[in-house]
Amino acid sequence: MNLSLEMVLKCLDLLPILRENQGITLDRLAEVTGFTRKHIADELIPALMLCGSPPYMPHDYVSVDLDGDKVFLQFADHFERPVTLLPVEIMAVHLALTTVRFRNDHLPQVRGRLKALIGKIENALPEDLRVLLRESHRISFGDRKDEESPWFLPLREATEQRRQVRIDYLSWGDSNIKRRVIHPYGLVTLDGVTYIVAHDTLRGHEVSFRLDRIHGLEILDEGFEIDPAFSLEDRVRKGLFQRPGVDEEEVQIRFRGAASTLISEMFDSSRWSREKDRSIVLRLKTSRPNSVVRWALRFGTDAEVVGPKEVRRLAVEELGKLRAVYAE
């Protein structure tokens, strides 16, 4: 039996339909899915019966019965029990579900079920974790084709050929478009926004440019060399908007309650320590303390900027601004 990725995806398409339509006929199933009756009966149903979980005893498999022309589905017993997941596992499932792309327009039921499942996950979480899901970074590297930007393919070409690029760029908060020459290092998509990480010859250091703020682009004949030590993945990990060569300082943030559990799962244990009161202190090196402070404030009273003093003062100032917004 051919258990290719395409076959597995088709089986996953069938599961919610069969579960909600016990006794559905093969003809109706073919009409709903767009698969042929023969393909469903001869290949997909036998493949579904191979789906299960360890230790793969008879009662651990999905059971599919073909009674004449009607199809019935029964899940293994353990699928009926509530699923218990850690916060980091919930985030992984949520990320996977929100990035699903459908290849079959005949399956509105699957789309509806997927949307309902995403909502169920979000509604079951406390508010602090829901905020984290909404704010967590979705990152992909240059293999993502951003069809909404006319600059994506030219920039990818320039990156691969290591050719300099002249862009007309409107910086945030600026009213004038400026022309600059960049050495494009790589494309990154962060939270749905695509950036080109490049050496900016005007500023003399690496800068992340949003593609939707580029107003003109020309690939030049001149080439450039990339530092062999440069890694796009490391650049993202350290901070897409962190200026190379700028002195970093260590910021300490104390997390309590549910936030402490979440942070301990998000960051390597070398970056935090457990205190006697079960809180944890996270240590982050950054050249942009303002951004770290704003990130910490998202956790409300479960997070406290401990130090250094000047960064703690920034947190107090931010809270003062917030208080002024709500002052009568």
Side-chain angles (χ1 to χ4, degrees), residues 76-291:
D77 293 341
H78 60 268
F79 286 115
E80 300 296 331
R81 296 195 294 269
V83 177
T84 302
L85 299 174
L86 295 171
V88 69
E89 294 172 326
I90 294 174
M91 291 182 65
V93 172
H94 186 274
L95 175 59
L97 293 176
T98 53
T99 54
V100 167
R101 295 295 179 267
F102 291 96
R103 53 172 177 71
N104 193 331
D105 292 333
H106 298 280
L107 302 175
Q109 298 97 326
V110 177
R111 288 187 182 82
R113 284 294 175 185
L114 184 64
K115 185 177 180 180
L117 180 56
I118 292 172
K120 187 175 181 180
I121 291 174
E122 294 176 349
N123 292 333
L125 293 173
E127 177 59 24
D128 55 344
L129 294 188
R130 286 204 299 272
V131 169
L132 190 66
L133 281 180
R134 291 193 294 267
E135 300 294 341
S136 58
H137 293 332
R138 271 73 168 166
I139 300 174
S140 63
F141 295 96
D143 58 347
R144 179 183 183 275
K145 182 178 180 181
D146 191 339
E147 296 180 351
E148 296 182 358
S149 173
W151 317 122
F152 186 90
L153 292 179
L155 283 170
R156 186 170 68 179
E157 177 185 346
T159 300
E160 293 171 349
Q161 298 178 1
R162 296 192 179 182
R163 293 170 61 185
Q164 298 184 34
V165 176
R166 182 185 294 118
I167 61 173
D168 297 324
Y169 192 76
L170 180 63
S171 298
W172 185 85
D174 199 341
S175 59
N176 297 317
I177 297 174
K178 295 180 180 178
R179 177 164 292 183
R180 58 188 73 196
V181 175
I182 63 173
H183 302 168
Y185 289 170
L187 289 152
V188 176
T189 298
L190 176 64
D191 292 336
V193 178
T194 303
Y195 301 83
I196 179 69
V197 179
H199 175 81
D200 182 10
T201 58
L202 180 65
R203 301 182 188 179
H205 59 76
E206 293 169 18
V207 178
S208 301
F209 297 97
R210 288 180 58 139
L211 267 62
D212 58 0
R213 290 183 183 157
I214 296 177
H215 290 259
L217 182 150
E218 179 185 359
I219 300 178
L220 305 177
D221 293 332
E222 294 84 353
F224 66 91
E225 294 295 328
I226 299 180
D227 184 346
F230 175 81
S231 166
L232 190 59
E233 289 81 359
D234 288 344
R235 172 70 168 152
V236 172
R237 191 178 300 112
K238 292 177 181 178
L240 194 57
F241 309 105
Q242 191 159 311
R243 285 184 55 183
V246 176
D247 291 338
E248 297 180 335
E249 58 181 324
E250 183 179 273
V251 178
Q252 301 92 39
I253 308 170
R254 186 189 307 279
F255 290 91
R256 304 179 179 86
S260 66
T261 302
L262 193 60
I263 295 299
S264 68
E265 294 172 352
M266 290 178 60
F267 292 91
D268 186 83
S269 58
S270 63
R271 302 176 69 176
W272 55 266
S273 58
R274 180 76 65 180
E275 304 296 297
K276 291 182 179 180
D277 61 358
R278 304 304 298 166
S279 66
I280 68 171
V281 175
L282 177 68
R283 299 176 298 276
L284 293 176
K285 288 188 176 181
T286 180
S287 60
R288 302 183 65 187
N290 278 321
S291 298

Side-chain angles (χ1 to χ4, degrees), residues 247-255 282-297 303-321:
D247 291 338
E248 297 180 335
E249 58 181 324
E250 183 179 273
V251 178
Q252 301 92 39
I253 308 170
R254 186 189 307 279
F255 290 91
L282 177 68
R283 299 176 298 276
L284 293 176
K285 288 188 176 181
T286 180
S287 60
R288 302 183 65 187
N290 278 321
S291 298
V292 173
V293 166
R294 294 190 185 99
W295 172 74
L297 292 179
E304 175 192 359
V305 177
V306 179
K309 290 183 179 180
E310 56 271 20
V311 179
R312 185 178 174 89
R313 192 177 301 114
L314 288 175
V316 173
E317 292 174 359
E318 286 293 326
L319 290 171
K321 295 175 184 177

